[in-house]
Amino acid sequence: MLQDNLCMNCMKEIGDAAVCPHCGFAADSPQIAPYLPMKTMVGGRYVIGKMLSAGGDGATYIAWDAERKVPVSVREYLPDGHIARAEDGRRVLVQSGSELLYRDGLADFLELWRKLARVRSLTAMIPVLDIVEENGTAYAVSEFVETITLREFL
C-alpha cells in the first residue's frame, strides 16, 4: 500500500527509507499521547500522520487522502483535560463528570465545521472536504496548505 511508503511528516513517498530524504523525519518516530497513532485510518480513507498542532478543542494532523492521493489536514475534536484514549489508541473515552461538556462541545465542533463546509466558495477559506464521526469523536478534513508562522515570516 502506498501509505506504507509515505513519510508521516510530509506525506511524500520515501519507500523503505528509515529517514525521509525530503524532510528528515525518522520513520519510526512515535506520536505523543493522547494523539492518534500515525498510520491510523479515519473514515476509511484518511491515513493520519504527525500531529501538527493541538490545543483548546482538538488536534490537527497532516494526513493522506487515499482516494484523492493528496495530503490533507485533519482536525480531531479532542478537548484538553476531558478525554483519554482507549487501549486501541483510537477510541476517545470521556472522563467521568465531563460527559455533558464533551457532548455539547462535540455538537458545537460539528456545527462549526458544517457551516465552514457550506462556504467553500469563499477564496479566503481553506475548503472543508469531509466530516467524519467515529471513534467516539469527530474529524474535519480540509485541504492541506503548507504555511509558515508569522514569526518565520517576520
Side-chain angles (χ1 to χ4, degrees):
M1 294 181 100
L2 176 63
Q3 58 261 27
D4 293 333
N5 298 322
L6 291 175
C7 170
M8 291 292 107
N9 184 58
C10 68
M11 293 296 158
K12 292 184 179 158
E13 214 169 328
I14 62 169
D16 59 359
V19 176
C20 177
H22 308 285
C23 71
F25 188 74
D28 62 353
S29 296
Q31 189 86 281
I32 56 174
Y35 306 109
L36 280 171
M38 286 184 257
K39 298 190 179 183
T40 297
M41 185 73 78
V42 170
R45 78 184 259 193
Y46 306 107
V47 181
I48 298 296
K50 182 181 174 197
M51 186 269 299
L52 301 173
S53 65
D57 74 343
T60 303
Y61 308 89
I62 188 170
W64 181 254
D65 183 337
E67 281 185 20
R68 293 177 52 227
K69 309 274 189 271
V70 295
V72 292
S73 178
V74 174
R75 179 76 177 171
E76 177 183 32
Y77 178 65
L78 199 69
D80 291 339
H82 299 285
I83 60 90
R85 287 271 183 210
E87 285 186 29
D88 66 6
R90 292 172 172 83
R91 239 173 351 102
V92 171
L93 304 174
V94 182
Q95 292 180 351
S96 181
S98 294
E99 297 86 0
L100 181 60
L101 180 72
Y102 183 84
R103 189 175 61 243
D104 288 349
L106 179 59
D108 291 344
F109 178 90
L110 288 166
E111 179 183 0
L112 169 68
W113 285 97
R114 286 177 179 139
K115 284 180 180 176
L116 291 172
R118 287 193 293 270
V119 293
R120 294 182 100 153
S121 60
L122 295 177
T123 57
M125 300 291 293
I126 296 172
V128 176
L129 305 171
D130 199 0
I131 298 169
V132 177
E133 292 182 68
E134 65 182 33
N135 299 323
T137 190
Y139 307 89
V141 181
S142 55
E143 286 185 10
F144 178 74
V145 178
E146 286 193 65
T147 61
I148 61 171
T149 65
L150 179 59
R151 179 174 303 243
E152 291 169 328
F153 177 76
L154 296 175

